Structures are given as structure tokens and as C-alpha cells.
Amino acid sequence: MFNRRKPEKLALTANSPVSKPRSTEAPSSPLAAELTRLLGPQKVLSAYGERLNYRYDAILVGKTPLCVVLPETTADVVAAVRAARAADVPIVGRGAASGLSGGAAPLEESLVISFTRMTKLTIYPEQREARAQAGVITLAVSEQARPHGLVYPPDPASFRTSTIGGNLGENAGGPMCFKYGVSGDYVKALEFVDVDGGIHELRRDAFDLAGLLIGSEGTLGLITEATLRLTPPPRFTRTLMSHFAEVGQAAEAVSQAIAAGAVPAKLEFMDKACTNAVEDYLQIGLPREAEAVLLVDTDGDDLATVEEELALVEAACQDHGGTVRRAADDAESAALWRARRSISPALGRIRPQRMNEDIVVPRSVLAEVVREIRSLGEASGFHLVQFGHIGDGNLHPNILFDPRTESSEKVHELAYQVAQVAIRHGGVLSGEHGIGAMKRDFMRDAVDAVTLEALWDVKRALDPEGMLNPGKILP
Ligand SMILES: Cc1cc2nc3c(=O)[nH]c(=O)nc-3n(C[C@H](O)[C@H](O)[C@H](O)COP(=O)(O)OP(=O)(O)OC[C@H]3O[C@@H](n4cnc5c(N)ncnc54)[C@H](O)[C@@H]3O)c2cc1C
């Protein structure tokens, strides 16, 4: 009988009531004892103070795990999974815990398998491939491939900390996803451990079973290694920033540029509140009055084409009333992109915590969606900023709050209203951050009953007893 475990009440990170440890001594569980026997004490964390660190991700505090293992090999993962199954303990995979949907936060007393020691990475320049264990840091792939004239394009803004396992768990995107695609597009094969401890190597064949694992947030299996596609980096990049009096103008400019044949490498949007937050932080002369700012890169190996694409974007921006500033050189380009990269620290100065939404809507309704969400923010009294990958219609409305003085229930309520706006306009709940625990309860509104049941069927087929990351994705 499939066990739909009852989810717990959720607490946002920094707002969790930290229950005092009764003791910092290891309150050894039979599972911890068995894992210590199997893997040795260096790979097992059983002391309360150590386990406490593994109950959260970047947005959610979950339940303190029963035990944590730090595997170094696939064989270690197999041993851990089998021991957890024998003890009837749920299993939660965890990378760098930079996730923004509560995916790596256990909702039940679980075994957390933390992949941070699985960092073996081999570059095969001839095949333009990398083989990475799950705990390899995203940026490390490009760093090690670059001497061979290759890079790994997926670029979540968290790429200095996030792991390949977490990226594949969420199918992470980034500013470059409009032209270059998301993490899953670079997977040629992957190895995963199933809920019974079986090891499988999947290639991207006609039946794309690897694709089923990608973006499944650790609910169908644990990815232990992946073969990743590498590409030569483009020889030339050009950058421009444009600002507009209306969000609709920016959205239309983007549509016109794309229709004219431009395929920008990066296409980022910031609303007025976001621009002002960054300007308060950096003081670099960003246009405070603008309702929308676009940051655009074109790139490629043929300079004439790169310039031509930039000219198409520039013309489209000007046609829609945008004021355009082209970066004169690499240094100016880096300075402009610093604005985008500084959003997180800039928002952190306003309120200590934020709920980061990740909706995707058709570009044609983007302006309306941005306006509706802004009105919701104003009515709620919360500070709300919006930015995102406008090329894909991927918008990140961020609700900023102080958990010491503002209610996380109200934050959730506003997040739900934001999700409703996306759904009403034909959009979806997540572009790249996943559903996790944070948006699990919105799924009934976003997905019809037949599709939801089909998703449950897949889950039942691969994890009949609901032992892998229970409480995530499926309501
Ligand atoms: C400042 C900041 C900026 C960000 N920018 C972006 C961005 O631009 N684009 C973007 O897409 N995301 C972004 N994120 C979100 C986050 O970094 C990504 O979702 C990232 O892919 C998570 O990687 P991680 O290693 O931290 O995974 P975790 O948070 O540890 O885990 C994420 C999910 O994957 C599962 N998982 C982890 N490892 C495995 C494994 N080996 N096998 C199976 N499942 C596994 C977990 O159970 C969980 O459900 C950002 C986050 C922050 C804090």
C-alpha cells in the first residue's frame, strides 16, 4: 500500500523555532550505529549539534534528521539506502542546500544523504564530456574544462556553491538558459541509486528515463554521477542595458528582437523596486525612475553576427521607448552585470529573509502579470521585488520579510496569490527552482487531476512506499 505520508507544518528559514538540544552528545539511533558499522565513523554524523545543520535549505527549515551520511562513492550510497530501508527511515538527498523550494529540508525524521564529499570530476576533452560525481560544485566543471577550451554552460546564480546533483535534482537554469538551455540539456547519461539500493546507468535514449530523474527533486532516485556535455565558449560577447518607462515596453522590445532573429545569450529583467534595491546597495547610477531594466548579452564566434544581434536588440528597445547603453568593453560589461549579480545581497539589506517565487508566464502577458503582482505586494504591505529571465518569461517575485516581526503565514498567503496570478495567465509554478515543499500545496491548482494522478503513478512505480524525499512536489 502506497504511503502518502502526512506533511508537516512548514517554517521558513530564519523563522524556525529552534528546539533546544537535550544534549550535544550523540544520541545514537540504531540506524546511525548500523551506518557507522558499515561506513566508518568519518562518514556518519549522529550528534544532535551536527545533524541540526542538515535540516534546512536556503528557504525552509525542516525536521532535524535522524542521521546524516557523507558518502564518497556510489557503493557508500547503496549501503546507506539499504540500511535506511531496513530501518524504515525516509531518505533525503542533499547537495549544497542552496535550493529555494525546500527540496533538501527533511519533513520527517530522515536519513540525509549529503553528497558534498562526492567531488570526483574527470574531463574528457576529446569527447567534450565531463564525468562528475553528484557533489561536484557547478562552477568547478567549467573551471576544469576551460584549460581544454571547453565550458559547461548551465549557470545558476548559485553556481559557486550549488552541486551537480542539486542542479539535476531541480533541473536548474540561469541567465544563459534562453540560448543555451538548462542543466538537463547537458546530461548525456547519469547513474542513480534506486530506493532499494540498485545502481542504474541511464543514457538519453528513445525512452528518456534519465529525463525522468532530472528535475524530480530526489523523489524518484539519488543521482550519484552524470556525464555532462561540454562546449567551446563563444569567442565574442557584447552587452547592453536598456531602461523603460513601462514594463510592457520592455516585454515587447524583447519579443520584437527575438522575432527579428536575435537569440541573446542572456536576457534579464529587473523591475523598479529591484533596480532601486540594487542602486541603494551599489550606487552605480542605475535609472531609479525606470519601471523596467533589461540586461542583454549576445555572443558567438562570429563578431559580425554578435554585433548584428546586439543591433537588433538595441533597435527593438529604442522602438519601444527604451534608453540604451551599450557596454564599450569587457570591463563595462562586467560592471553592468554586477548589478544583476548583486540582487541577492541588495535584497538581504532590506529584510533578512525572502520568499523567492519562480513563475513562468507567456511573454505576451508579462507586463500585466508584473503589474498584478506588484499590486498584490502593495496591498499586502510586504516589500516585493521582481526580476527574472525575461526571454523565457521566467519571473522571480521575491517577498522580503523579517521573520522576527512578520508572519510567515502571511508570506505564504501572498506567495499563493502570486502563484494564482501565474496560473490564471496560463503560466506555471516553477521555471527552475522546483516545487519542493514550498509550492507542493499549489500543485492542485496548477495541474489537473489526471496529470497529478499520472505523476503519482510514476512516483509509485519507482518509490512504492514513499521513502524518497517524502512530502515534496506531490500534494
Ligand atoms: C543566491 C541564490 C541564487 C540562485 N540562483 C539560481 C538560478 O539562477 N537558477 C536556478 O535554477 N536556481 C538558483 N538558485 C536555487 C538553487 O541554487 C538551485 O536549485 C540548485 O540547483 C540547488 O543545488 P544544491 O546543490 O544546493 O541542491 P540542494 O538544495 O541541496 O537540493 C535541491 C534538490 O535536489 C535534491 N538533490 C540534491 N542532490 C541530489 C542528488 N544527488 N540526487 C537526487 N536529488 C538530489 C534535493 O533533495 C532537493 O530536492 C539560487 C539559489 C540561491 C541561494
Side-chain angles (χ1 to χ4, degrees):
M1 168 75 177
F2 187 75
N3 175 9
R4 295 184 188 195
R5 289 160 184 268
K6 199 164 188 288
E8 299 199 350
K9 197 161 181 287
L10 309 178
L12 292 166
T13 303
N15 192 25
S16 84
V18 180
S19 54
K20 264 196 153 180
R22 279 188 299 277
S23 154
T24 50
E25 295 302 309
S28 210
S29 60
L31 176 60
E34 174 63 359
L35 286 166
T36 305
R37 189 186 68 77
L38 290 168
L39 303 174
Q42 300 305 323
K43 295 180 185 171
V44 181
L45 303 178
S46 60
Y48 181 85
E50 292 173 324
R51 288 183 283 124
L52 200 57
N53 294 327
Y54 291 82
R55 65 192 177 132
Y56 61 84
D57 71 355
I59 198 157
L60 184 74
V61 180
K63 198 152 192 161
T64 304
L66 190 64
C67 182
V68 178
V69 282
L70 302 162
E72 290 169 14
T73 62
T74 300
D76 289 347
V77 177
V78 169
V81 167
R82 291 196 171 143
R85 289 306 307 281
D88 196 29
V89 172
I91 301 157
V92 178
R94 176 179 157 120
S98 70
L100 290 168
S101 57
L107 301 186
E108 301 182 18
E109 257 195 349
S110 307
L111 172 69
V112 165
I113 300 185
S114 170
F115 286 92
T116 47
R117 286 190 190 165
M118 290 185 60
T119 54
K120 192 171 165 217
L121 172 64
T122 313
I123 307 292
Y124 298 97
E126 298 288 304
Q127 288 97 311
R128 292 189 172 179
E129 284 176 7
R131 182 75 174 179
Q133 277 188 317
V136 167
I137 301 287
T138 315
L139 177 63
V141 183
S142 280
E143 277 180 346
Q144 292 202 27
R146 208 174 281 278
H148 304 282
L150 297 167
V151 289
Y152 174 63
D155 64 338
S158 51
F159 70 158
R160 287 173 204 283
T161 50
S162 69
T163 64
I164 292 298
N167 292 166
L168 300 185
E170 301 289 7
N171 200 7
M176 304 225 292
C177 60
F178 179 69
K179 180 171 181 178
Y180 291 100
V182 293
S183 302
D185 296 323
Y186 289 83
V187 174
K188 295 182 89 170
L190 60 77
E191 178 191 81
F192 84 100
V193 172
D194 69 26
V195 72
D196 296 318
I199 304 172
H200 307 266
E201 173 78 17
L202 301 175
R203 302 190 64 80
R204 308 302 295 271
D205 289 326
F207 288 104
D208 185 12
L209 289 176
L212 202 58
L213 266 286
I214 295 164
S216 67
E217 306 185 26
T219 63
L220 301 180
L222 294 161
I223 296 166
T224 41
E225 291 191 12
T227 302
L228 306 171
R229 188 162 57 85
L230 305 173
T231 63
R235 288 179 61 209
F236 303 103
T237 302
R238 291 292 179 266
T239 301
L240 70 72
M241 179 185 272
S242 183
H243 61 90
F244 301 82
E246 269 295 323
V247 177
Q249 293 172 328
E252 280 162 24
V254 168
S255 295
Q256 179 182 317
I258 292 169
V263 188
K266 299 183 189 171
L267 247 180
E268 295 291 298
F269 156 78
M270 299 193 294
D271 79 346
K272 188 176 183 175
C274 184
T275 304
N276 276 278
V278 175
E279 180 57 15
D280 286 344
Y281 176 49
L282 292 179
Q283 289 155 23
I284 51 171
L286 294 175
R288 285 187 179 277
E289 294 311 311
E291 288 293 333
V293 169
L294 290 183
L295 260 166
V296 184
D297 265 5
T298 58
D299 71 5
D301 291 338
D302 175 40
L303 183 57
T305 310
V306 176
E307 296 275 13
E308 197 182 310
E309 286 195 62
L310 198 76
L312 288 175
V313 178
E314 183 172 28
C317 290
Q318 285 165 343
D319 285 353
H320 290 89
T323 304
V324 176
R325 173 179 163 193
R326 268 190 192 224
D329 51 28
D330 289 353
E332 195 180 347
S333 165
L336 292 179
W337 279 105
R338 196 171 155 230
R340 173 63 181 86
R341 280 205 325 275
S342 301
I343 291 177
S344 283
L347 299 186
R349 292 171 76 241
I350 298 173
R351 292 285 189 282
Q353 181 59 349
R354 59 190 167 118
M355 167 89 182
N356 190 330
E357 284 261 16
D358 175 38
I359 58 174
V360 183
V361 295
R363 222 169 30 243
S364 55
V365 297
L366 195 97
E368 218 174 316
V369 166
V370 168
R371 274 194 296 271
E372 272 187 46
I373 292 174
R374 186 173 56 195
S375 305
L376 286 175
E378 283 163 4
S380 72
F382 283 107
H383 200 107
L384 188 150
V385 307
Q386 304 186 67
F387 57 93
H389 316 308
I390 193 171
D392 306 273
N394 186 193
L395 198 62
H396 296 313
N398 272 231
I399 306 163
L400 313 184
F401 66 102
D402 185 338
R404 292 164 301 190
T405 54
E406 291 167 300
S407 125
S408 27
E409 276 77 29
K410 291 212 165 110
V411 174
H412 269 292
E413 223 173 276
L414 180 55
Y416 179 65
Q417 289 169 0
V418 168
Q420 291 295 321
V421 174
I423 294 165
R424 224 175 22 251
H425 286 280
V428 297
L429 294 180
S430 173
E432 54 184 22
H433 297 165
I435 301 297
M438 303 307 292
K439 284 166 271 180
R440 175 197 63 210
D441 295 335
F442 307 168
M443 281 287 274
R444 276 201 193 85
D445 299 310
V447 179
D448 64 77
V450 174
T451 308
L452 208 51
E453 204 42 43
L455 292 174
W456 272 113
D457 284 343
V458 172
K459 172 76 175 162
R460 273 184 213 110
L462 286 169
D463 179 21
E465 288 166 47
M467 300 305 282
L468 292 174
N469 214 357
K472 308 297 166 60
I473 307 182
L474 296 169

